[in-house]
Amino acid sequence: MKKNIGLLVGALLISASLFAQADLQVLATVKLYKSESITVRQLKARAEVYKKQTGVTNFTLDHKKEILESLIDEKLLLQAAQKDGITVSDSEVNAAFLQSMSEQIGKQLTEPELAQIVKQQTNLSLDDFLKSQTSMNTAEYKQHIKTQIIAQRYLIAKRPEILQISATDAEIRSAYEMNKTNFVQPDVVQLFLVVVAKQNNPDATPEKVGALLNDFKSGKLTQSALREKAKLDPTKMNAGEMYLGKTTSAAQQLGWDFQKLLELFAKPKGFYSEVNETASDYQFYQVVEKYDQKTLALSDVVQPGSNYTVYELLKDQLSQQKKSQSLITATTELISSLKTPENYQMLKTGEALDTLLTW
């Protein structure tokens, strides 16, 4: 019996060794600027990333070959960029990473602040959270961002005319007519909102916040004065204008139920609230202005209080779509010109390649 167990353990060790050797097999070599190999392990890692992006749990043989081709294409672009001296600094990558993550959270964050929020909301480290979402840890995700930036800069350097692409007036007006029903502004109320955080704040008592409200109502404290007071320590107090639509998401943003939001919309211009307490802060507000629901014209601003019109919004969106399509076309053309026998070589083809992709 012991001998059989020993044989079984030995067989498992041999099997694991064979799998490890298979993972190290080189499928292709890119050599435009330097010799760089693409292994089975790298292909598997990229397939895991695509699984997270697409939701597909298993890739067919043809899909795996497409992913391999995309890896080759990426390395060709990156080596071509290196050859042309195109680089991206770590500070630029970090800024792009934080911008991307901050947009998802809804406010600008530092990396420690981001890690803290992720820990509070998911009980995961930033590394583990990114792994669960993208199959990449923080360093790998930043490297992925760096790759995208370098490739894009190379493409723009080769095709600078793409930056000049813009939607025409006719395209903008046509898009508006086709989507006019989507440009409806709901009932909107403009508030001047004051929020006093409870955590580590001796001023966060009903009496002190109530005194602040009374000074505001009497004119002793103006909106400008409250803004300046809030700037002294934004972790303890915030004060500023807020535009709220009559929507469920607006109620959630304030931590209210929808009925309470409806009561707000029934208040007249100039109305002062009482002090409202939530789990994390005290709040009060003044109703500054009210806007009725309407269908927005091209010359109307996207939302009250901004200078950004529907026309400008459509122009930006359509121009970006045209630039993106031009980038895709340029990418295809440039990769085609780079994909020569001098620049890359497939080391596994036919049945040999198929065998290595059976995982």
Side-chain angles (χ1 to χ4, degrees):
M1 186 68 170
K2 288 182 180 179
K3 183 178 180 181
N4 289 339
I5 291 174
L7 290 172
L8 176 61
V9 171
L12 289 173
L13 288 173
I14 291 170
S15 176
S17 175
L18 290 174
F19 276 119
Q21 289 176 24
D23 277 0
L24 295 176
Q25 287 286 315
V26 177
L27 302 175
T29 301
V30 177
K31 47 185 179 176
L32 187 154
Y33 179 67
K34 61 182 180 181
S35 183
E36 195 172 1
S37 299
I38 297 175
T39 64
V40 174
R41 178 179 294 170
Q42 290 172 311
L43 181 59
K44 285 182 177 180
R46 181 57 59 89
E48 289 301 315
V49 171
Y50 285 160
K51 283 181 181 180
K52 293 291 185 181
Q53 291 178 344
T54 63
V56 176
T57 54
N58 289 297
F59 289 119
T60 64
L61 183 62
D62 285 340
H63 287 150
K64 293 171 187 176
K65 289 180 179 179
E66 288 175 9
I67 297 171
L68 175 58
E69 287 296 321
S70 74
L71 268 174
I72 294 169
D73 295 347
E74 180 183 293
K75 288 189 182 296
L76 281 169
L77 277 177
L78 290 177
Q79 288 199 17
Q82 283 181 296
K83 189 175 181 180
D84 283 6
I86 294 174
T87 60
V88 177
S89 68
D90 289 342
S91 61
E92 289 176 304
V93 173
N94 289 334
F97 168 73
L98 286 174
Q99 182 63 32
S100 172
M101 300 303 292
S102 295
E103 286 174 0
Q104 295 179 50
I105 299 294
K107 62 178 181 179
Q108 197 61 43
L109 299 166
T110 64
E111 194 161 326
E113 288 171 339
L114 172 63
Q116 183 179 16
I117 289 175
V118 168
K119 185 67 175 179
Q120 289 172 345
Q121 295 184 358
T122 68
N123 201 32
L124 296 172
S125 68
L126 184 55
D127 262 356
D128 290 340
F129 173 73
L130 286 172
K131 271 277 190 184
S132 70
Q133 298 296 308
T134 68
S135 284
M136 294 179 279
N137 61 28
T138 309
E140 291 166 339
Y141 190 68
K142 287 182 178 180
Q143 183 60 41
H144 172 70
I145 290 174
K146 185 174 185 177
T147 296
Q148 301 304 307
I149 296 173
I150 290 174
Q152 189 174 69
R153 285 187 180 176
Y154 173 73
L155 291 167
I156 294 299
K158 292 298 181 183
R159 301 288 176 85
E161 68 275 8
I162 291 175
L163 293 178
Q164 307 305 317
I165 293 174
S166 181
T168 65
D169 180 73
E171 289 170 335
I172 294 166
R173 294 184 182 279
S174 175
Y176 173 74
E177 290 301 326
M178 292 176 64
N179 298 279
K180 187 183 292 187
T181 55
N182 295 329
F183 293 101
V184 177
Q185 174 189 284
D187 291 330
V188 174
V189 63
Q190 177 188 353
L191 304 180
F192 184 80
L193 178 67
V194 177
V195 179
V196 180
K198 289 180 177 179
Q199 188 174 7
N200 301 321
N201 189 0
D203 292 329
T205 66
E207 294 77 19
K208 289 185 177 181
V209 179
L212 204 63
L213 171 59
N214 289 334
D215 286 345
F216 182 39
K217 292 168 72 172
S218 68
K220 187 176 179 181
L221 279 175
T222 63
Q223 290 184 10
S224 296
L226 285 167
R227 284 194 186 92
E228 291 303 314
K229 184 176 177 65
K231 287 179 182 177
L232 296 175
D233 191 346
T235 64
K236 293 182 179 179
M237 178 177 168
N238 284 285
E241 290 181 329
M242 172 179 283
Y243 293 86
L244 294 173
K246 194 186 289 183
T247 62
T248 303
S249 60
Q252 292 172 343
Q253 184 180 356
L254 286 173
W256 294 359
D257 59 39
F258 193 65
Q259 183 57 41
K260 188 173 181 179
L261 185 71
L262 291 178
E263 291 172 4
L264 165 62
F265 273 85
K267 304 300 182 185
K269 178 181 175 180
F271 171 81
Y272 291 91
S273 74
E274 299 300 321
V275 174
N276 300 305
E277 182 178 0
T278 73
S280 59
D281 56 46
Y282 293 98
Q283 306 174 358
F284 62 82
Y285 62 83
Q286 179 191 23
V287 177
V288 178
E289 189 57 85
K290 299 176 74 175
Y291 303 88
D292 294 332
Q293 176 178 306
K294 69 172 184 177
T295 298
L296 298 173
L298 275 170
S299 58
D300 284 330
V301 295
V302 175
Q303 62 181 30
S306 76
N307 296 317
Y308 193 48
T309 65
V310 173
Y311 187 94
E312 291 168 328
L313 171 67
L314 282 171
K315 182 178 181 180
D316 288 346
Q317 289 179 342
L318 292 173
S319 297
Q320 188 56 49
Q321 288 173 12
K322 292 178 73 173
K323 287 176 182 177
S324 295
Q325 187 55 54
S326 295
L327 274 173
I328 292 171
T329 302
T331 301
T332 302
E333 293 173 352
L334 285 169
I335 287 174
S336 179
S337 69
L338 296 172
K339 220 163 187 178
T340 64
E342 294 78 20
N343 293 337
Y344 91 105
Q345 180 184 4
M346 291 295 301
L347 299 183
K348 301 293 180 182
T349 58
E351 292 184 6
L353 177 61
D354 293 351
T355 300
L356 288 171
L357 299 186
T358 53
W359 33 267

